[in-house]
Structures are given as structure tokens and as C-alpha cells.
Amino acid sequence: MAAVTQDTTSVVLNQPNNSGLLIAIHPLTLLNISDHFTRTVIQQASPVIGALLGIQSGREVEIFNSYELQFTIQSDGSIRIHEEYFVTKQEQFRQVFPSYDFLGWYTVGRKPSMIDIDVLQQLMTYNESPLFLQMDPNEVPTPARSLPITVYESIVDIVDGQPQPMFIKAVYKVETGEAERIAVDHVAHAATHQEGESSLVNHLSGQQNAIKMLDTRIKLLHEYLQDSVNGKVPKDHDLERQISSLCNRLPTISGQAFEEEFMTEYNDVLLTSYLATVTKGIHAMSDMVDKFNVVATQNSHHGQGRPRRGMMG
């Protein structure tokens, strides 16, 4: 078998794409690919290859999710996708997302090569024309706000009188829903504290700092009062009156109204727990009765007795 080379001169068509395919990529896919690449670099593992999932309606394609593929690198440099793992993952995803189909695959690299053509021919069994998404982490995007990602459509072109699978660049856009925008904003800002933080992180950090400051000041006042009682520091009646006034401003937790409200909520929690326990007991009792009925029915068919009255559900 001839070795599969990295030659890129004959695998990409340098011509305008007139297919009219509208490709939209959702942020979760980009995050998955970036995470996959980062872990691969840290672990010094094998190449990055994964499947793209989404929905195609006519000429509109939306890529919602992705997952990693298992494969084996052959002695000639080619890649063999583990078909059993691929089929299993597809079935698992269909159980959760029945509308998602296999749309293509992704990898990391500068340009498509004959190795990618070899992978394409394997995946064409599951999609006649799969998309190919390639990320180049070393590329400096132009303009600066664009992504180092290229999406290719797979086509079959006639080369020297023979059909040859090839790639052609496709236009894509990144599309996000409201929930996706909030999640991506939080993840992006939480990961880079130098450039700013999301509103959720700011809010929680502010609460944490306020609680720490309150705890420090309460400890300081408590320490002063103890030292004052023990005679370690002179008594300052004006300061003690201010501390007393501050304590009187705090909401009381020993009054009749508080105790009634607290007991009401406490009883509600106990009642909920009790109902859950009763429900669990009834379910166990129902299972026991069903099993008894099965055994009793089998015994009656063999002439070993008859079911007791009231035990048949």
C-alpha cells in the first residue's frame, strides 16, 4: 500500500463556491474543538479528530455540537476511524438529540491533505458529502476579530478522467442564541481575569469581600469588648454606646414573630420530607404486590393454590 502523503496541491479547488450552502456554527462546537486541541497538546497525544453534529434543512446547515473520534494511525501514516465507536456514539447522541445528524468532521492543521481525503472517504459511508472544519491555532486571523477556522465542502471532481474527492472552501457564520451568549460570556471572562470578569463573577466576588470585611470588623469589636471587660484596655462609654446602638439595629431572631415564621418553614420542610418518604414506601409496597401477584398467578396455573382475595391489583 502506498503511503498517504501530506500533499495539499490537489485536494482543494481554488474556485468560487456556488453551492449556496448556508453554514452556521454554534459556540459549543468551537469550545469543544478548542478544549480537545488544548488537552491534546498538554498530553502530547495523537492528532485531533472529531465529529460534527447538527441539523440540515435544505441548504441550511447548523452545527450544534461535536465529539471526539477514536482512530488508529497506520504504518503508512493513514488514519483509520474506529467504526464501532463512531456508530455507538451516534446512537447515544440520537437518544438525547434525535434531530441531530452527522454532518462532518473536524481536525487541526494548516491546510487539507491527502490524509484528510482518506478520512473523507471513510466517513462518506455515513454522509455522502460531509463538511470538513479545520482549525489552525497558529494562524493570525485577518481581520483580527475573525476565527482561525476554515470550513470546506466535500465534492467529487473529475481529475484525469477519474472521479476524485476534493475540498472547496465554504462560507460560514457563528450563530448564538440568548442562552449561548450568556454562557459563552461567563466562560470567556471567567477564564481571563486580567481582561475583566463576567457580571456573575463580579457579583459573587463583591458579596464574598463584603462578608469577609463584616467578619473582620465583628471580630475586632468582640475582641475590644473582651479586653474592656478584662481590664486590658480602658473603657470608652461613648464607643460602647455606639456598639450597643449598632447591635440594636440588627433584626431580632428571638421574637415571637420570628419563631412562628421559622417553625412554619421548618414544619413545611418536614412535611415535604415525610411525603417523599410515604411516596417511596407506597412505591415499594406496589412493587411487592406486583411480584406477589406474579408468583400467585404462576402457582394457580400449576394447581398449587389460588391467589388470595384482595391481593390482585
Side-chain angles (χ1 to χ4, degrees):
M1 180 183 295
V4 180
T5 67
Q6 292 282 354
D7 178 37
T8 64
T9 58
S10 59
V11 300
V12 179
L13 285 179
N14 294 320
Q15 65 184 40
N17 188 342
N18 299 320
S19 67
L21 199 64
L22 303 177
I23 302 174
I25 305 175
H26 285 255
L28 179 59
T29 304
L30 303 178
L31 291 174
N32 287 343
I33 296 174
S34 178
D35 174 69
H36 188 184
F37 169 71
T38 302
R39 286 186 285 104
T40 301
V41 171
I42 294 176
Q43 299 170 1
Q44 298 181 351
S46 54
V48 175
I49 299 179
L52 301 174
L53 300 177
I55 300 174
Q56 180 170 1
S57 177
R59 304 303 295 170
E60 297 182 358
V61 177
E62 283 193 87
I63 302 174
F64 288 97
N65 207 341
S66 64
Y67 63 87
E68 303 172 21
L69 288 176
Q70 292 185 356
F71 57 90
T72 303
I73 301 178
Q74 306 295 317
S75 58
D76 62 348
S78 62
I79 292 176
R80 287 294 173 265
I81 305 297
H82 293 181
E83 294 186 9
E84 183 178 353
Y85 175 82
F86 175 81
V87 173
T88 301
K89 290 291 289 186
Q90 284 295 112
E91 292 176 352
Q92 291 174 348
F93 265 94
R94 285 198 182 97
Q95 293 177 2
V96 183
F97 306 103
S99 60
Y100 283 13
D101 295 320
F102 170 71
L103 299 179
W105 84 103
Y106 69 83
T107 186
V108 173
R110 292 187 63 252
K111 294 180 179 179
S113 65
M114 290 303 299
I115 292 180
D116 300 313
I117 291 293
D118 185 49
V119 174
L120 166 64
Q121 292 175 330
Q122 298 177 57
L123 296 178
M124 287 177 69
T125 305
Y126 309 100
N127 188 317
E128 294 181 354
S129 182
L131 297 174
F132 176 40
L133 186 152
Q134 191 169 48
M135 182 181 74
D136 183 4
N138 298 319
E139 177 187 353
V140 179
T142 304
R145 294 181 64 86
S146 61
L147 298 172
I149 288 175
T150 306
V151 178
Y152 299 91
E153 292 182 52
S154 56
I155 61 174
V156 177
D157 195 36
I158 303 300
V159 179
D160 298 330
Q162 298 293 329
Q164 174 66 40
M166 301 187 73
F167 298 112
I168 184 170
K169 286 186 177 182
V171 179
Y172 72 91
K173 64 178 180 178
V174 177
E175 188 168 300
T176 60
E178 184 63 28
E180 291 174 316
R181 280 194 290 269
I182 295 174
V184 171
D185 173 74
H186 173 65
V187 172
H189 287 82
T192 55
H193 296 283
Q194 294 84 356
E195 298 181 3
E197 298 175 340
S198 67
S199 57
L200 176 60
V201 174
N202 285 330
H203 176 68
L204 295 178
S205 297
Q207 286 190 335
Q208 182 184 27
N209 293 333
I211 293 173
K212 286 183 177 180
M213 184 177 297
L214 177 62
D215 181 66
T216 301
R217 294 184 177 182
I218 290 176
K219 289 181 178 178
L220 180 62
L221 294 176
H222 184 260
E223 184 179 354
Y224 165 76
L225 292 175
Q226 281 187 328
D227 292 343
S228 176
V229 171
N230 296 331
K232 295 181 179 180
V233 295
K235 292 185 178 181
D236 187 337
H237 297 287
D238 183 57
L239 180 59
E240 291 178 356
R241 281 194 295 270
Q242 293 183 26
I243 295 175
S244 177
S245 176
L246 179 62
C247 293
N248 291 332
R249 294 179 186 176
L250 298 176
T252 179
I253 59 174
S254 59
Q256 182 67 24
F258 171 80
E259 187 172 349
E260 291 179 358
E261 182 178 356
F262 175 78
M263 291 305 298
T264 299
E265 294 186 4
Y266 181 70
N267 290 332
D268 289 343
V269 173
L270 291 180
L271 179 60
T272 304
S273 177
Y274 175 72
L275 290 175
T277 303
V278 171
T279 302
K280 186 176 180 181
I282 293 175
H283 180 69
M285 180 65 70
S286 177
D287 288 343
M288 187 273 291
V289 171
D290 291 339
K291 293 176 182 178
F292 178 84
N293 287 336
V294 170
V295 174
T297 302
Q298 291 177 348
N299 291 338
S300 64
H301 288 166
H302 290 83
Q304 298 179 5
R306 61 183 180 85
R308 296 183 178 180
R309 185 183 303 275
M311 296 303 292
M312 297 296 292

